[in-house]
Amino acid sequence: MTNTKILLLLIISIFLSCSEDEKETPLPEPPVIKSSEKELISFKFTMDEQNYEAEIRNDSILAVLPSSTDLTKLTPEITISEKATINPASGVLQDFTNLINYNVTAEDNSKKLYKAIITKLNSENKINTFSFTNLAEGQASYSLLNNNLSDIDTISYRVPYLSPIKELISNISISTNATISPQSGETLDYSIPVKYTVTAEDNTTKDYLVIVDNSLGQLDIDGILGNDYRNKKPTESIAFFTNVLNPIKDSIQVKLVSTDDLVNYNLEVQNVNYDNNEVNVKLPDSYNNDNYRFKVFIEHDNFDESDSFTLDGGTPNFKQVDDDNNNVYNTLLLLR
């Protein structure tokens, strides 16, 4: 019996000893899992009590603000994932005229880069260039008249005479992101002024009045000297130059008129050189030697007269003169 008690006490002692050992060795703590969230949730500006929320698209922050915004002095309000941090921080004044990088760092120190692209609406509403695609051959030019900013801007456009002024097709370039009405490329009647309205991206507008002129310039004959056509025989060709000519040759009429207006001949227009505005005409089959001038029409109400010149290759010219005794007789007209 004694041996049995001793064995029982020994077993209890060993059990108690093992229990004590187990209490002295604590179980390991579970690992701490840190957040990897690093999202940019919202990005906004508040100006004049108005909120402007940026669009967050993948890794880009995009916002278009009013045209009056000063992009150099903007303070964004930014919301990010819980436990994350951002640099630059929310509420820090920034210059957004250039792209700005925002770095979001998660609790686990992983990072995500966002690029802030902040722009403003374009307020420009200008016509940059204006032309036509179906003009007749010849020179065209235009000028922009806006001397008084309170008045409508006017584009004064001169086009070649034969251009289809009632069916001209425009080609217009305007400010970036602006629109224009009527649109570029439309076929319109410009025999009367046409008003264009350019609308900027911020909806401000500007009007232009387009006035097209296809009339010929006022004819001017210059540079003819008195002796330029001496010794020219009847039916010979002679030439002169003008500043402008009608592109329709049959519309050019040339008369040879004596300086006393008593004699005039309709001259045949033989050739017209439009490169240098040279006109070649044929002298009459016969003419009396005298001083003459050209009278040239390019339209019924557009004409000019040249300086006088001498023709002395034709028939000698006798004119009646009175002597000191009131005797009338014919004398040969001497030309100088």
Side-chain angles (χ1 to χ4, degrees):
M1 187 68 179
T2 301
N3 290 336
T4 303
K5 289 181 178 180
I6 292 172
L7 180 59
L8 181 59
L9 290 173
L10 182 60
I11 292 171
I12 293 172
S13 176
I14 292 172
F15 177 77
L16 291 174
S17 176
C18 290
S19 298
E20 289 295 327
D21 289 342
E22 288 176 0
K23 287 182 180 179
E24 292 176 0
T25 306
L27 294 174
E29 293 287 336
V32 177
I33 300 176
K34 294 185 177 182
S35 173
S36 63
E37 293 294 319
K38 45 187 175 292
E39 299 303 313
L40 198 155
I41 298 172
S42 70
F43 193 104
K44 70 178 182 179
F45 302 97
T46 301
M47 296 178 293
D48 299 327
E49 299 182 354
Q50 179 77 34
N51 290 330
Y52 298 92
E53 193 83 30
E55 178 186 0
I56 301 169
R57 187 187 303 167
N58 298 324
D59 60 351
S60 297
I61 306 164
L62 307 173
V64 181
L65 303 177
S67 58
S68 59
T69 303
D70 183 358
L71 294 179
T72 66
K73 297 177 181 180
L74 289 176
T75 304
E77 301 171 44
I78 309 170
T79 304
I80 57 175
S81 301
E82 187 179 358
K83 298 182 181 181
T85 59
I86 188 169
N87 184 39
S90 175
V92 175
L93 186 71
Q94 298 291 342
D95 179 356
F96 285 95
T97 53
N98 295 311
L99 180 147
I100 294 180
N101 291 326
Y102 280 88
N103 288 286
V104 180
T105 303
E107 186 185 26
D108 66 358
N109 210 36
S110 59
K111 300 179 183 297
K112 185 172 182 179
L113 176 67
Y114 290 86
K115 299 177 180 180
I117 305 171
I118 311 300
T119 59
K120 60 182 180 178
L121 292 171
N122 195 336
S123 61
E124 287 194 354
N125 44 23
K126 297 179 180 178
I127 288 180
N128 295 324
T129 62
F130 193 104
S131 61
F132 295 107
T133 62
N134 59 333
L135 295 180
E137 290 187 8
Q139 292 185 342
S141 63
Y142 78 91
S143 58
L144 176 63
L145 309 176
N146 57 346
N147 296 326
N148 188 339
L149 296 180
S150 65
D151 293 339
I152 185 171
D153 284 0
T154 302
I155 295 176
S156 178
Y157 212 118
R158 177 174 285 276
V159 300
Y161 181 71
L162 293 181
S163 298
I165 193 169
K166 291 189 175 183
E167 296 180 335
L168 288 176
I169 303 171
S170 63
N171 181 24
I172 313 169
S173 67
I174 57 178
S175 302
T176 303
N177 296 332
T179 59
I180 188 168
S181 178
Q183 295 183 5
S184 175
E186 289 193 31
T187 302
L188 298 173
D189 179 0
Y190 290 88
S191 61
I192 57 175
V194 176
K195 187 178 84 168
Y196 281 88
T197 300
V198 183
T199 303
E201 190 179 26
D202 67 353
N203 287 324
T204 57
T205 62
K206 185 176 184 64
D207 291 332
Y208 291 82
L209 194 66
V210 179
I211 300 174
V212 177
D213 179 11
N214 70 333
S215 64
L216 293 170
Q218 180 58 48
L219 179 65
D220 182 36
I221 306 170
D222 199 6
I224 294 178
L225 302 178
N227 293 323
D228 282 351
Y229 306 118
R230 280 195 178 267
N231 300 317
K232 292 293 184 180
K233 305 297 182 184
T235 72
E236 280 195 52
S237 179
I238 58 176
F240 60 89
F241 296 89
T242 71
N243 64 320
V244 65
L245 286 174
N246 194 315
I248 302 174
K249 179 182 173 183
D250 290 345
S251 297
I252 302 171
Q253 307 293 324
V254 182
K255 292 180 179 293
L256 184 67
V257 182
S258 63
T259 53
D260 58 10
D261 290 325
L262 296 178
V263 179
N264 71 81
Y265 303 94
N266 291 319
L267 301 184
E268 176 189 343
V269 178
Q270 294 180 305
N271 185 57
V272 178
N273 186 335
Y274 289 101
D275 292 332
N276 60 0
N277 290 339
E278 180 185 28
V279 180
N280 286 267
V281 293
K282 179 183 177 183
L283 288 175
D285 292 342
S286 64
Y287 67 82
N288 291 331
N289 295 343
D290 205 342
N291 292 318
Y292 293 91
R293 66 185 185 277
F294 291 125
K295 188 171 185 179
V296 182
F297 292 78
I298 57 174
E299 294 176 297
H300 73 280
D301 58 350
N302 191 344
F303 63 91
D304 191 30
E305 294 186 2
S306 71
D307 293 333
S308 65
F309 53 87
T310 298
L311 287 177
D312 59 0
T315 303
N317 192 358
F318 291 88
K319 289 194 173 182
Q320 288 185 342
V321 296
D322 295 338
D323 63 11
D324 294 338
N325 297 318
N326 294 323
N327 295 315
V328 179
Y329 57 91
N330 291 331
T331 184
L332 179 65
L333 178 65
L334 298 177
L335 301 173
R336 294 184 179 181

